[in-house]
Amino acid sequence: MHGGAVLALLVLAVVSVSGQEGFGHHHHLEEYVDYRARPHYHYDYHVHDHHTHDIKNQWEHRDGKETKGVYTLLQPDGRKRIVEYRAGKHGADYKIRYEGHSVHGGIGSFGIGN
């Protein structure tokens, strides 16, 4: 009789758990995504690591079909590269310029990071 009581409690526990799930019917919440909504975002980031000489940053903004942004990075030759860009329904346009002077041997020639 003792074994029958344990079995009965086990069956009752299984039925109870099954009842919490709606007797096998799983209910999923659907997330509504409006694919026609106008895209809009802005982000920026900065990296400044003196040990690896990884120095760069970027920002970008999008509103509808227009995206614009700027990114800069310190090149191995010591110059800073600056790229400004704009993209839209008529294509993309990039303007690249440099600041500073190129140094023969790059950053490593100064003994930086050694």
Short mmCIF file of all heavy atoms in Angstrom, two decimals, residues 14-72:
data_model
loop_
_atom_site.label_atom_id
_atom_site.label_comp_id
_atom_site.label_asym_id
_atom_site.label_seq_id
_atom_site.Cartn_x
_atom_site.Cartn_y
_atom_site.Cartn_z
N VAL A 14 2.51 14.97 -11.74
CA VAL A 14 2.64 15.09 -13.19
C VAL A 14 1.42 15.77 -13.78
O VAL A 14 1.53 16.65 -14.63
CB VAL A 14 2.89 13.71 -13.84
CG1 VAL A 14 2.77 13.78 -15.34
CG2 VAL A 14 4.24 13.17 -13.42
N VAL A 15 0.23 15.40 -13.34
CA VAL A 15 -1.00 16.02 -13.83
C VAL A 15 -1.04 17.49 -13.46
O VAL A 15 -1.44 18.34 -14.24
CB VAL A 15 -2.24 15.27 -13.29
CG1 VAL A 15 -3.51 16.03 -13.59
CG2 VAL A 15 -2.29 13.87 -13.88
N SER A 16 -0.57 17.82 -12.26
CA SER A 16 -0.56 19.20 -11.80
C SER A 16 0.36 20.05 -12.67
O SER A 16 0.02 21.15 -13.08
CB SER A 16 -0.12 19.26 -10.35
OG SER A 16 0.01 20.59 -9.93
N VAL A 17 1.57 19.56 -12.99
CA VAL A 17 2.51 20.29 -13.83
C VAL A 17 1.95 20.42 -15.23
O VAL A 17 2.03 21.46 -15.86
CB VAL A 17 3.89 19.60 -13.83
CG1 VAL A 17 4.79 20.20 -14.89
CG2 VAL A 17 4.53 19.70 -12.47
N SER A 18 1.35 19.37 -15.76
CA SER A 18 0.75 19.42 -17.10
C SER A 18 -0.35 20.46 -17.15
O SER A 18 -0.52 21.15 -18.15
CB SER A 18 0.20 18.06 -17.51
OG SER A 18 1.25 17.12 -17.60
N GLY A 19 -1.11 20.59 -16.08
CA GLY A 19 -2.20 21.55 -16.05
C GLY A 19 -1.71 22.98 -16.10
O GLY A 19 -2.39 23.87 -16.60
N GLN A 20 -0.51 23.23 -15.60
CA GLN A 20 0.04 24.58 -15.65
C GLN A 20 0.38 24.99 -17.07
O GLN A 20 0.41 26.15 -17.40
CB GLN A 20 1.29 24.66 -14.78
CG GLN A 20 0.99 24.53 -13.31
CD GLN A 20 2.25 24.53 -12.47
OE1 GLN A 20 3.35 24.67 -12.99
NE2 GLN A 20 2.08 24.37 -11.17
N GLU A 21 0.63 24.06 -17.95
CA GLU A 21 0.95 24.37 -19.33
C GLU A 21 -0.28 24.34 -20.22
O GLU A 21 -0.19 24.40 -21.43
CB GLU A 21 1.97 23.36 -19.87
CG GLU A 21 3.31 23.46 -19.16
CD GLU A 21 4.30 22.44 -19.69
OE1 GLU A 21 3.95 21.70 -20.63
OE2 GLU A 21 5.40 22.39 -19.17
N GLY A 22 -1.43 24.23 -19.68
CA GLY A 22 -2.65 24.22 -20.48
C GLY A 22 -2.89 22.89 -21.15
O GLY A 22 -3.35 22.84 -22.27
N PHE A 23 -2.53 21.81 -20.47
CA PHE A 23 -2.71 20.45 -20.99
C PHE A 23 -2.08 20.28 -22.36
O PHE A 23 -2.71 19.84 -23.31
CB PHE A 23 -4.20 20.08 -21.03
CG PHE A 23 -4.80 20.01 -19.66
CD1 PHE A 23 -5.65 21.01 -19.22
CD2 PHE A 23 -4.49 18.98 -18.80
CE1 PHE A 23 -6.20 20.95 -17.95
CE2 PHE A 23 -5.03 18.92 -17.53
CZ PHE A 23 -5.89 19.91 -17.10
N GLY A 24 -0.83 20.67 -22.47
CA GLY A 24 -0.10 20.43 -23.70
C GLY A 24 -0.19 21.57 -24.70
O GLY A 24 0.48 21.55 -25.71
N HIS A 25 -1.00 22.57 -24.48
CA HIS A 25 -1.08 23.71 -25.39
C HIS A 25 -0.11 24.78 -24.91
O HIS A 25 -0.20 25.25 -23.78
CB HIS A 25 -2.50 24.29 -25.42
CG HIS A 25 -3.48 23.35 -26.02
ND1 HIS A 25 -4.03 22.31 -25.33
CD2 HIS A 25 -4.00 23.31 -27.27
CE1 HIS A 25 -4.86 21.66 -26.11
NE2 HIS A 25 -4.86 22.25 -27.29
N HIS A 26 0.83 25.14 -25.75
CA HIS A 26 1.81 26.16 -25.39
C HIS A 26 1.35 27.50 -25.93
O HIS A 26 1.00 27.63 -27.09
CB HIS A 26 3.18 25.81 -25.97
CG HIS A 26 3.72 24.51 -25.45
ND1 HIS A 26 4.27 24.40 -24.20
CD2 HIS A 26 3.78 23.27 -26.00
CE1 HIS A 26 4.65 23.16 -24.00
NE2 HIS A 26 4.35 22.45 -25.08
N HIS A 27 1.36 28.48 -25.08
CA HIS A 27 0.97 29.82 -25.47
C HIS A 27 2.22 30.67 -25.65
O HIS A 27 3.00 30.81 -24.73
CB HIS A 27 0.05 30.45 -24.41
CG HIS A 27 -1.21 29.68 -24.22
ND1 HIS A 27 -2.25 29.77 -25.10
CD2 HIS A 27 -1.59 28.79 -23.27
CE1 HIS A 27 -3.23 28.98 -24.69
NE2 HIS A 27 -2.84 28.36 -23.58
N HIS A 28 2.41 31.20 -26.84
CA HIS A 28 3.55 32.06 -27.13
C HIS A 28 3.06 33.49 -27.31
O HIS A 28 2.07 33.74 -27.97
CB HIS A 28 4.25 31.62 -28.42
CG HIS A 28 4.80 30.24 -28.35
ND1 HIS A 28 5.95 29.94 -27.66
CD2 HIS A 28 4.36 29.07 -28.88
CE1 HIS A 28 6.20 28.66 -27.78
NE2 HIS A 28 5.25 28.10 -28.51
N LEU A 29 3.81 34.40 -26.73
CA LEU A 29 3.51 35.81 -26.93
C LEU A 29 4.17 36.25 -28.23
O LEU A 29 5.36 36.06 -28.42
CB LEU A 29 4.02 36.66 -25.77
CG LEU A 29 3.37 36.39 -24.42
CD1 LEU A 29 4.03 37.24 -23.35
CD2 LEU A 29 1.88 36.70 -24.49
N GLU A 30 3.41 36.80 -29.11
CA GLU A 30 3.93 37.29 -30.38
C GLU A 30 4.40 38.72 -30.20
O GLU A 30 3.70 39.53 -29.61
CB GLU A 30 2.84 37.24 -31.45
CG GLU A 30 2.29 35.86 -31.72
CD GLU A 30 3.15 35.07 -32.68
OE1 GLU A 30 3.86 35.69 -33.48
OE2 GLU A 30 3.11 33.84 -32.61
N GLU A 31 5.58 39.04 -30.71
CA GLU A 31 6.07 40.41 -30.66
C GLU A 31 5.75 41.07 -31.99
O GLU A 31 6.06 40.54 -33.05
CB GLU A 31 7.58 40.43 -30.43
CG GLU A 31 8.15 41.81 -30.36
CD GLU A 31 9.64 41.83 -30.12
OE1 GLU A 31 10.17 40.82 -29.65
OE2 GLU A 31 10.25 42.85 -30.43
N TYR A 32 5.14 42.23 -31.92
CA TYR A 32 4.77 42.95 -33.14
C TYR A 32 5.97 43.74 -33.64
O TYR A 32 6.58 44.49 -32.90
CB TYR A 32 3.60 43.89 -32.88
CG TYR A 32 3.25 44.73 -34.08
CD1 TYR A 32 2.61 44.15 -35.18
CD2 TYR A 32 3.59 46.06 -34.14
CE1 TYR A 32 2.30 44.90 -36.28
CE2 TYR A 32 3.29 46.82 -35.25
CZ TYR A 32 2.64 46.24 -36.32
OH TYR A 32 2.35 46.98 -37.43
N VAL A 33 6.32 43.56 -34.89
CA VAL A 33 7.40 44.30 -35.51
C VAL A 33 6.82 45.02 -36.72
O VAL A 33 6.28 44.39 -37.63
CB VAL A 33 8.55 43.37 -35.96
CG1 VAL A 33 9.63 44.16 -36.66
CG2 VAL A 33 9.11 42.62 -34.76
N ASP A 34 6.94 46.33 -36.71
CA ASP A 34 6.45 47.13 -37.84
C ASP A 34 7.60 47.32 -38.82
O ASP A 34 8.48 48.15 -38.61
CB ASP A 34 5.93 48.48 -37.34
CG ASP A 34 5.32 49.30 -38.46
OD1 ASP A 34 5.28 48.83 -39.62
OD2 ASP A 34 4.89 50.43 -38.17
N TYR A 35 7.61 46.54 -39.89
CA TYR A 35 8.69 46.60 -40.86
C TYR A 35 8.59 47.84 -41.75
O TYR A 35 9.49 48.13 -42.51
CB TYR A 35 8.73 45.33 -41.71
CG TYR A 35 9.13 44.13 -40.90
CD1 TYR A 35 8.19 43.22 -40.44
CD2 TYR A 35 10.46 43.93 -40.56
CE1 TYR A 35 8.56 42.12 -39.69
CE2 TYR A 35 10.85 42.83 -39.81
CZ TYR A 35 9.89 41.93 -39.38
OH TYR A 35 10.27 40.86 -38.63
N ARG A 36 7.50 48.54 -41.66
CA ARG A 36 7.34 49.76 -42.46
C ARG A 36 7.75 51.00 -41.68
O ARG A 36 7.75 52.10 -42.22
CB ARG A 36 5.90 49.90 -42.92
CG ARG A 36 5.48 48.76 -43.86
CD ARG A 36 4.03 48.84 -44.16
NE ARG A 36 3.31 48.66 -42.89
CZ ARG A 36 2.05 48.96 -42.69
NH1 ARG A 36 1.33 49.44 -43.66
NH2 ARG A 36 1.48 48.76 -41.52
N ALA A 37 8.10 50.84 -40.42
CA ALA A 37 8.47 51.99 -39.60
C ALA A 37 9.74 52.64 -40.13
O ALA A 37 10.63 51.98 -40.66
CB ALA A 37 8.68 51.56 -38.15
N ARG A 38 9.85 53.94 -39.99
CA ARG A 38 11.01 54.70 -40.44
C ARG A 38 12.21 54.37 -39.54
O ARG A 38 12.15 54.58 -38.33
CB ARG A 38 10.67 56.18 -40.36
CG ARG A 38 11.76 57.10 -40.81
CD ARG A 38 11.29 58.55 -40.63
NE ARG A 38 12.29 59.46 -41.09
CZ ARG A 38 12.31 60.00 -42.31
NH1 ARG A 38 11.35 59.72 -43.16
NH2 ARG A 38 13.27 60.82 -42.65
N PRO A 39 13.32 53.87 -40.11
CA PRO A 39 14.48 53.55 -39.28
C PRO A 39 15.08 54.82 -38.68
O PRO A 39 15.20 55.84 -39.35
CB PRO A 39 15.47 52.92 -40.26
CG PRO A 39 14.77 52.73 -41.54
CD PRO A 39 13.53 53.55 -41.51
N HIS A 40 15.44 54.73 -37.42
CA HIS A 40 16.02 55.88 -36.73
C HIS A 40 16.93 55.36 -35.61
O HIS A 40 16.48 54.62 -34.76
CB HIS A 40 14.91 56.75 -36.15
CG HIS A 40 15.43 57.97 -35.47
ND1 HIS A 40 15.84 59.08 -36.16
CD2 HIS A 40 15.63 58.24 -34.17
CE1 HIS A 40 16.27 59.99 -35.30
NE2 HIS A 40 16.16 59.50 -34.09
N TYR A 41 18.22 55.74 -35.67
CA TYR A 41 19.13 55.37 -34.59
C TYR A 41 20.32 56.31 -34.57
O TYR A 41 20.58 57.05 -35.51
CB TYR A 41 19.61 53.92 -34.71
CG TYR A 41 20.46 53.63 -35.92
CD1 TYR A 41 21.83 53.90 -35.91
CD2 TYR A 41 19.91 53.07 -37.05
CE1 TYR A 41 22.62 53.63 -37.00
CE2 TYR A 41 20.69 52.79 -38.16
CZ TYR A 41 22.04 53.08 -38.14
OH TYR A 41 22.82 52.81 -39.22
N HIS A 42 21.06 56.25 -33.48
CA HIS A 42 22.32 56.98 -33.31
C HIS A 42 23.22 56.14 -32.41
O HIS A 42 22.74 55.59 -31.42
CB HIS A 42 22.09 58.35 -32.67
CG HIS A 42 23.37 59.07 -32.40
ND1 HIS A 42 24.02 59.81 -33.35
CD2 HIS A 42 24.15 59.11 -31.30
CE1 HIS A 42 25.14 60.30 -32.84
NE2 HIS A 42 25.24 59.89 -31.59
N TYR A 43 24.49 56.04 -32.76
CA TYR A 43 25.42 55.37 -31.85
C TYR A 43 26.80 56.02 -31.99
O TYR A 43 27.10 56.69 -32.97
CB TYR A 43 25.52 53.87 -32.11
CG TYR A 43 26.31 53.47 -33.34
CD1 TYR A 43 27.68 53.29 -33.27
CD2 TYR A 43 25.67 53.26 -34.55
CE1 TYR A 43 28.40 52.92 -34.38
CE2 TYR A 43 26.39 52.88 -35.67
CZ TYR A 43 27.75 52.72 -35.58
OH TYR A 43 28.47 52.36 -36.67
N ASP A 44 27.60 55.82 -30.98
CA ASP A 44 28.99 56.24 -31.04
C ASP A 44 29.81 55.36 -30.10
O ASP A 44 29.27 54.77 -29.17
CB ASP A 44 29.16 57.72 -30.69
CG ASP A 44 28.70 58.06 -29.30
OD1 ASP A 44 29.52 57.91 -28.37
OD2 ASP A 44 27.55 58.47 -29.14
N TYR A 45 31.10 55.25 -30.40
CA TYR A 45 32.00 54.52 -29.53
C TYR A 45 33.40 55.11 -29.64
O TYR A 45 33.73 55.79 -30.61
CB TYR A 45 32.02 53.02 -29.85
CG TYR A 45 32.71 52.66 -31.15
CD1 TYR A 45 34.07 52.38 -31.17
CD2 TYR A 45 32.00 52.56 -32.34
CE1 TYR A 45 34.71 52.05 -32.35
CE2 TYR A 45 32.63 52.23 -33.51
CZ TYR A 45 33.99 51.97 -33.52
OH TYR A 45 34.62 51.65 -34.67
N HIS A 46 34.20 54.85 -28.63
CA HIS A 46 35.57 55.34 -28.56
C HIS A 46 36.47 54.25 -27.99
O HIS A 46 36.10 53.61 -27.02
CB HIS A 46 35.67 56.57 -27.67
CG HIS A 46 34.71 57.65 -28.05
ND1 HIS A 46 35.01 58.59 -29.00
CD2 HIS A 46 33.46 57.93 -27.63
CE1 HIS A 46 33.98 59.41 -29.15
NE2 HIS A 46 33.02 59.02 -28.33
N VAL A 47 37.61 54.06 -28.60
CA VAL A 47 38.63 53.14 -28.08
C VAL A 47 39.92 53.94 -27.97
O VAL A 47 40.32 54.60 -28.93
CB VAL A 47 38.83 51.93 -29.02
CG1 VAL A 47 39.97 51.05 -28.53
CG2 VAL A 47 37.56 51.13 -29.17
N HIS A 48 40.55 53.88 -26.81
CA HIS A 48 41.82 54.60 -26.61
C HIS A 48 42.72 53.73 -25.74
O HIS A 48 42.75 53.87 -24.52
CB HIS A 48 41.55 55.95 -25.94
CG HIS A 48 42.69 56.90 -26.11
ND1 HIS A 48 42.62 57.97 -26.97
CD2 HIS A 48 43.91 56.94 -25.56
CE1 HIS A 48 43.75 58.63 -26.92
NE2 HIS A 48 44.55 58.02 -26.07
N ASP A 49 43.44 52.82 -26.38
CA ASP A 49 44.30 51.87 -25.67
C ASP A 49 45.76 52.22 -25.93
O ASP A 49 46.28 51.98 -27.02
CB ASP A 49 43.98 50.45 -26.14
CG ASP A 49 44.71 49.38 -25.36
OD1 ASP A 49 45.72 49.70 -24.70
OD2 ASP A 49 44.27 48.23 -25.41
N HIS A 50 46.41 52.81 -24.94
CA HIS A 50 47.82 53.22 -25.09
C HIS A 50 48.75 52.02 -25.24
O HIS A 50 49.79 52.13 -25.88
CB HIS A 50 48.27 54.07 -23.90
CG HIS A 50 47.67 55.44 -23.91
ND1 HIS A 50 48.05 56.41 -24.80
CD2 HIS A 50 46.69 55.98 -23.16
CE1 HIS A 50 47.36 57.50 -24.59
NE2 HIS A 50 46.51 57.27 -23.60
N HIS A 51 48.40 50.90 -24.65
CA HIS A 51 49.27 49.73 -24.71
C HIS A 51 49.36 49.15 -26.12
O HIS A 51 50.45 48.83 -26.61
CB HIS A 51 48.77 48.66 -23.73
CG HIS A 51 49.61 47.42 -23.72
ND1 HIS A 51 50.87 47.40 -23.18
CD2 HIS A 51 49.37 46.19 -24.20
CE1 HIS A 51 51.38 46.19 -23.33
NE2 HIS A 51 50.48 45.43 -23.94
N THR A 52 48.23 49.03 -26.80
CA THR A 52 48.22 48.45 -28.16
C THR A 52 48.19 49.52 -29.25
O THR A 52 48.25 49.19 -30.42
CB THR A 52 46.99 47.54 -28.34
OG1 THR A 52 45.80 48.35 -28.22
CG2 THR A 52 46.98 46.41 -27.34
N HIS A 53 48.07 50.78 -28.86
CA HIS A 53 47.98 51.91 -29.79
C HIS A 53 46.72 51.82 -30.66
O HIS A 53 46.70 52.30 -31.78
CB HIS A 53 49.22 52.01 -30.68
CG HIS A 53 50.47 52.06 -29.89
ND1 HIS A 53 50.83 53.16 -29.15
CD2 HIS A 53 51.44 51.13 -29.67
CE1 HIS A 53 51.96 52.91 -28.53
NE2 HIS A 53 52.35 51.68 -28.82
N ASP A 54 45.71 51.19 -30.13
CA ASP A 54 44.42 51.10 -30.82
C ASP A 54 43.62 52.34 -30.40
O ASP A 54 43.03 52.37 -29.32
CB ASP A 54 43.70 49.81 -30.42
CG ASP A 54 42.45 49.56 -31.23
OD1 ASP A 54 42.25 50.24 -32.26
OD2 ASP A 54 41.66 48.68 -30.85
N ILE A 55 43.64 53.33 -31.25
CA ILE A 55 42.96 54.59 -30.96
C ILE A 55 42.03 54.89 -32.12
O ILE A 55 42.47 55.11 -33.26
CB ILE A 55 43.98 55.74 -30.77
CG1 ILE A 55 44.92 55.38 -29.60
CG2 ILE A 55 43.27 57.06 -30.54
CD1 ILE A 55 46.08 56.32 -29.45
N LYS A 56 40.74 54.85 -31.84
CA LYS A 56 39.74 55.06 -32.89
C LYS A 56 38.42 55.48 -32.26
O LYS A 56 38.20 55.30 -31.07
CB LYS A 56 39.56 53.80 -33.72
CG LYS A 56 39.11 52.58 -32.91
CD LYS A 56 39.17 51.34 -33.75
CE LYS A 56 38.99 50.11 -32.89
NZ LYS A 56 39.38 48.90 -33.58
N ASN A 57 37.56 56.02 -33.09
CA ASN A 57 36.21 56.34 -32.64
C ASN A 57 35.30 56.43 -33.85
O ASN A 57 35.77 56.55 -34.99
CB ASN A 57 36.17 57.62 -31.79
CG ASN A 57 36.57 58.83 -32.56
OD1 ASN A 57 35.94 59.20 -33.53
ND2 ASN A 57 37.65 59.47 -32.15
N GLN A 58 34.01 56.36 -33.59
CA GLN A 58 33.02 56.45 -34.67
C GLN A 58 31.71 56.93 -34.08
O GLN A 58 31.38 56.64 -32.94
CB GLN A 58 32.80 55.09 -35.34
CG GLN A 58 31.78 55.17 -36.46
CD GLN A 58 31.57 53.84 -37.18
OE1 GLN A 58 32.10 52.82 -36.78
NE2 GLN A 58 30.81 53.88 -38.24
N TRP A 59 30.97 57.66 -34.89
CA TRP A 59 29.57 57.95 -34.59
C TRP A 59 28.80 57.81 -35.89
O TRP A 59 29.35 57.97 -36.98
CB TRP A 59 29.36 59.32 -33.94
CG TRP A 59 29.64 60.50 -34.83
CD1 TRP A 59 30.79 61.22 -34.89
CD2 TRP A 59 28.74 61.10 -35.77
NE1 TRP A 59 30.67 62.23 -35.80
CE2 TRP A 59 29.42 62.18 -36.36
CE3 TRP A 59 27.44 60.83 -36.18
CZ2 TRP A 59 28.84 62.99 -37.34
CZ3 TRP A 59 26.87 61.63 -37.15
CH2 TRP A 59 27.55 62.70 -37.71
N GLU A 60 27.55 57.43 -35.76
CA GLU A 60 26.68 57.27 -36.93
C GLU A 60 25.26 57.61 -36.53
O GLU A 60 24.83 57.32 -35.41
CB GLU A 60 26.75 55.84 -37.46
CG GLU A 60 25.93 55.63 -38.72
CD GLU A 60 26.15 54.26 -39.32
OE1 GLU A 60 27.25 54.00 -39.85
OE2 GLU A 60 25.23 53.43 -39.22
N HIS A 61 24.55 58.22 -37.46
CA HIS A 61 23.16 58.61 -37.24
C HIS A 61 22.36 58.23 -38.48
O HIS A 61 22.80 58.50 -39.59
CB HIS A 61 23.06 60.12 -36.99
CG HIS A 61 21.66 60.61 -36.86
ND1 HIS A 61 20.94 60.45 -35.70
CD2 HIS A 61 20.84 61.22 -37.74
CE1 HIS A 61 19.73 60.97 -35.88
NE2 HIS A 61 19.66 61.44 -37.11
N ARG A 62 21.21 57.61 -38.27
CA ARG A 62 20.32 57.28 -39.38
C ARG A 62 18.93 57.78 -39.09
O ARG A 62 18.41 57.61 -37.99
CB ARG A 62 20.26 55.77 -39.62
CG ARG A 62 19.34 55.44 -40.80
CD ARG A 62 19.39 54.00 -41.19
NE ARG A 62 18.49 53.78 -42.32
CZ ARG A 62 18.27 52.60 -42.86
NH1 ARG A 62 18.88 51.55 -42.37
NH2 ARG A 62 17.44 52.48 -43.86
N ASP A 63 18.36 58.40 -40.09
CA ASP A 63 16.98 58.87 -40.01
C ASP A 63 16.34 58.57 -41.35
O ASP A 63 16.62 59.25 -42.34
CB ASP A 63 16.93 60.36 -39.68
CG ASP A 63 15.52 60.83 -39.38
OD1 ASP A 63 14.61 59.97 -39.25
OD2 ASP A 63 15.32 62.05 -39.26
N GLY A 64 15.53 57.54 -41.39
CA GLY A 64 14.91 57.13 -42.65
C GLY A 64 15.94 56.52 -43.58
O GLY A 64 16.67 55.61 -43.21
N LYS A 65 16.03 57.06 -44.79
CA LYS A 65 16.96 56.52 -45.78
C LYS A 65 18.32 57.20 -45.74
O LYS A 65 19.23 56.80 -46.44
CB LYS A 65 16.36 56.65 -47.17
CG LYS A 65 15.13 55.79 -47.36
CD LYS A 65 14.57 55.89 -48.75
CE LYS A 65 13.33 55.01 -48.87
NZ LYS A 65 12.77 55.06 -50.20
N GLU A 66 18.48 58.22 -44.93
CA GLU A 66 19.73 58.96 -44.83
C GLU A 66 20.57 58.47 -43.64
O GLU A 66 20.09 58.44 -42.51
CB GLU A 66 19.48 60.46 -44.65
CG GLU A 66 19.06 61.16 -45.90
CD GLU A 66 20.20 61.30 -46.90
OE1 GLU A 66 21.33 61.65 -46.50
OE2 GLU A 66 19.95 61.06 -48.09
N THR A 67 21.81 58.11 -43.92
CA THR A 67 22.75 57.72 -42.88
C THR A 67 23.99 58.58 -43.04
O THR A 67 24.49 58.76 -44.15
CB THR A 67 23.14 56.24 -43.01
OG1 THR A 67 21.98 55.44 -42.97
CG2 THR A 67 24.08 55.81 -41.90
N LYS A 68 24.48 59.11 -41.92
CA LYS A 68 25.73 59.87 -41.98
C LYS A 68 26.56 59.55 -40.75
O LYS A 68 26.02 59.14 -39.72
CB LYS A 68 25.47 61.37 -42.09
CG LYS A 68 24.73 61.97 -40.94
CD LYS A 68 24.49 63.45 -41.20
CE LYS A 68 23.67 64.05 -40.07
NZ LYS A 68 23.47 65.48 -40.26
N GLY A 69 27.85 59.71 -40.91
CA GLY A 69 28.72 59.42 -39.79
C GLY A 69 30.16 59.80 -40.05
O GLY A 69 30.52 60.26 -41.14
N VAL A 70 30.99 59.59 -39.03
CA VAL A 70 32.42 59.88 -39.10
C VAL A 70 33.14 58.80 -38.30
O VAL A 70 32.68 58.40 -37.24
CB VAL A 70 32.74 61.26 -38.47
CG1 VAL A 70 34.24 61.49 -38.41
CG2 VAL A 70 32.05 62.37 -39.22
N TYR A 71 34.27 58.34 -38.84
CA TYR A 71 35.13 57.51 -38.01
C TYR A 71 36.57 57.96 -38.18
O TYR A 71 36.96 58.46 -39.24
CB TYR A 71 34.96 56.01 -38.25
CG TYR A 71 35.47 55.45 -39.55
CD1 TYR A 71 36.80 55.06 -39.67
CD2 TYR A 71 34.63 55.27 -40.63
CE1 TYR A 71 37.27 54.51 -40.85
CE2 TYR A 71 35.08 54.72 -41.81
CZ TYR A 71 36.40 54.35 -41.92
OH TYR A 71 36.87 53.81 -43.09
N THR A 72 37.33 57.84 -37.12
CA THR A 72 38.74 58.21 -37.14
C THR A 72 39.55 57.07 -36.54
O THR A 72 39.05 56.30 -35.72
CB THR A 72 39.01 59.49 -36.31
OG1 THR A 72 38.78 59.23 -34.94
CG2 THR A 72 38.13 60.64 -36.78
#
